Amino acid sequence: MYGFPHPSGLPQTIDQAADLLIQDLLTDHIEAMSSLSDEEFESLYQGVAPFLIDEFRLWSGNDVLLAACIDECHACGESPDPARIILKRVVERIGDTEGIIIIT
């Protein structure tokens, strides 16, 4: 991931975190993520959650992003799971084809 948008070097919003992740995806990954079943999402989540927690320093220093994720969890009626919230936003944004430009 390149160029975190905040001086601390970490994304401060769910959208910033999602954008950074999307920037790192290959076209094949974007296509695959655009049509994930619930089971496939869960499998993906299990694989990447530890990475997201570590990379974005959730629970260990990035209090602004953590608070944003927890607020989002409460708004959706879900238990606090910041990595899941970020990954859901990635999938939502990939589904919004108007917001993604793929350069090959």
Side-chain angles (χ1 to χ4, degrees):
M1 282 176 251
Y2 309 105
F4 285 122
H6 190 269
S8 74
L10 296 170
Q12 301 294 291
T13 68
I14 299 167
D15 286 333
Q16 288 173 350
D19 288 344
L20 287 170
L21 293 170
I22 291 169
Q23 289 172 11
D24 285 348
L25 293 175
L26 300 173
T27 304
D28 291 343
H29 298 146
I30 291 172
E31 287 178 27
M33 289 181 72
S34 69
S35 61
L36 290 176
S37 69
D38 290 342
E39 294 82 23
E40 290 168 330
F41 176 86
E42 191 60 32
S43 179
L44 176 64
Y45 164 76
Q46 294 297 325
V48 301
F51 167 77
L52 296 178
I53 290 167
D54 183 54
E55 184 74 17
F56 295 138
R57 296 180 58 197
L58 299 165
W59 306 113
S60 63
N62 193 348
D63 295 337
V64 175
L65 179 57
L66 177 62
C69 291
I70 290 173
D71 288 346
E72 183 78 14
C73 289
H74 289 150
C76 296
E78 298 179 16
S79 60
D81 188 344
R84 184 178 298 277
I85 289 297
I86 292 169
L87 188 57
K88 279 185 175 182
R89 184 67 53 88
V90 168
V91 172
E92 287 170 4
R93 294 191 73 151
I94 287 173
D96 176 19
T97 56
E98 293 177 20
I100 296 178
I101 299 173
I102 299 173
I103 300 173
T104 58

